[in-house]
Amino acid sequence: MKTNLTSFSHGIGSFIAGFHLIRQPGLRRFVIIPLMINVVLFSVASWLLWHYLSTMVDSMLPSWLSWLAWLILPIFMTSILAIVYYCFTLVANIIAAPFYGQLSKGVEAHLKGQPYVEVNADTFLKEMFQMLGLELRKITYYLLRAVPLLILSVIPGINVISLPLWLLFSAWFLTFEYAGYSFENHKILFSDQKRMLNRSRVNTMTFGSISLLATTIPVINLFAPAVAVAGATKLFYERGELG
């Protein structure tokens, strides 16, 4: 019981520590470009959703219930925004993967009390393609499991279990996603990454759950990926998984 409580608090504490880590002078530069990417993607997503969903709700409601739009629209929008923000987070992570890889390196160096070793353009390009390849592999892994869950969600009767399963899988996957940068920096194999995550499931699921919550909150979700990358690096460094 004590071990589970320790793992629970460690998962939450690592994510919160990510806010402090990304503000370190030498690490801020790796946050700026991903932040700009997130601002553009989420601004476009929010505008499109508000424009089209408000029109959809208006068309679905009969005229004599149009006065209910002020109540139904916020509820409907909140649910849809949470899903869309999560999906846009995954897209933004693919684009920003090279910078998150360097951020993870910088965080680990900071935790060790060592200076960050600058990479030249050739090394950065090489690592960029490696990180993009890893992201595409993780997205493939995600889709192969998310699609069946999506199918379950539309089957009457069975769909009552789809939401809890979706939340559990999403939480686990986000830890897998954000820890992957530090794992890749250490050349840890894809299959070994999953094994390492499962060594402390409470730890892993707690960190993933708070990351999932952060991706659904407007404004905070702009910083959430960088915070989670920094936090996941700290989490697995302190667990002794990074050597």
Side-chain angles (χ1 to χ4, degrees):
M1 181 67 176
K2 185 177 180 181
T3 301
N4 286 340
L5 286 174
T6 301
S7 296
F8 180 81
S9 61
H10 190 207
I12 295 176
S14 296
F15 185 88
I16 294 172
F19 283 98
H20 169 71
L21 289 167
I22 65 171
R23 296 201 305 270
Q24 297 306 304
L27 303 180
R28 294 173 189 167
R29 53 185 165 159
F30 302 124
V31 179
I32 293 174
I33 293 179
L35 178 61
M36 293 172 63
I37 292 170
N38 287 342
V39 168
V40 172
L41 285 176
F42 287 118
S43 296
V44 171
S46 299
W47 182 84
L48 288 174
L49 280 170
W50 182 262
H51 178 74
Y52 288 106
L53 287 181
S54 59
T55 303
M56 184 187 303
V57 171
D58 288 341
S59 63
M60 289 169 59
L61 285 174
S63 57
W64 60 279
L65 284 178
S66 59
W67 60 275
L68 276 178
W70 68 271
L71 175 63
I72 295 175
L73 185 58
I75 297 173
F76 189 55
M77 282 289 293
T78 300
S79 302
I80 297 298
L81 280 173
I83 296 171
V84 172
Y85 281 158
Y86 175 76
C87 294
F88 266 76
T89 296
L90 297 181
V91 174
N93 288 347
I94 295 175
I95 301 172
F99 302 97
Y100 289 147
Q102 297 304 315
L103 173 61
S104 180
K105 279 186 179 180
V107 168
E108 189 175 342
H110 175 78
L111 294 172
K112 292 178 177 178
Q114 300 173 352
Y116 170 74
V117 179
E118 297 286 349
V119 296
N120 57 38
D122 290 339
T123 301
F124 181 79
L125 286 174
K126 180 181 177 181
E127 293 182 352
M128 178 182 74
F129 288 114
Q130 289 175 344
M131 286 296 178
L132 289 175
L134 176 65
E135 283 301 300
L136 292 175
R137 186 173 182 182
K138 284 191 288 188
I139 291 298
T140 301
Y141 176 89
Y142 173 80
L143 291 176
L144 288 174
R145 289 152 181 80
V147 170
L149 285 174
L150 184 61
I151 294 173
L152 282 179
S153 67
V154 298
I155 302 176
I158 299 179
N159 57 6
V160 295
I161 66 170
S162 64
L163 180 58
L165 289 176
W166 185 275
L167 292 174
L168 287 171
F169 173 63
S170 296
W172 186 91
F173 180 78
L174 283 184
T175 304
F176 184 37
E177 164 74 9
Y178 294 124
Y181 300 105
S182 52
F183 288 153
E184 182 65 17
N185 287 335
H186 285 265
K187 310 301 180 187
I188 297 172
L189 297 176
F190 194 79
S191 57
D192 290 336
Q193 295 179 23
K194 292 179 287 183
R195 176 178 52 80
M196 291 164 72
L197 258 65
N198 288 326
R199 283 180 183 170
S200 177
R201 294 187 180 180
V202 173
N203 209 235
T204 297
M205 293 302 295
T206 302
F207 184 87
S209 296
I210 194 169
S211 299
L212 178 62
L213 176 63
T215 64
T216 64
I217 303 173
V219 181
I220 291 179
N221 58 13
L222 299 175
F223 301 90
V227 169
V229 170
T233 302
K234 181 178 186 297
L235 177 68
F236 287 93
Y237 172 76
E238 291 178 345
R239 275 175 52 172
E241 304 281 11
L242 303 181

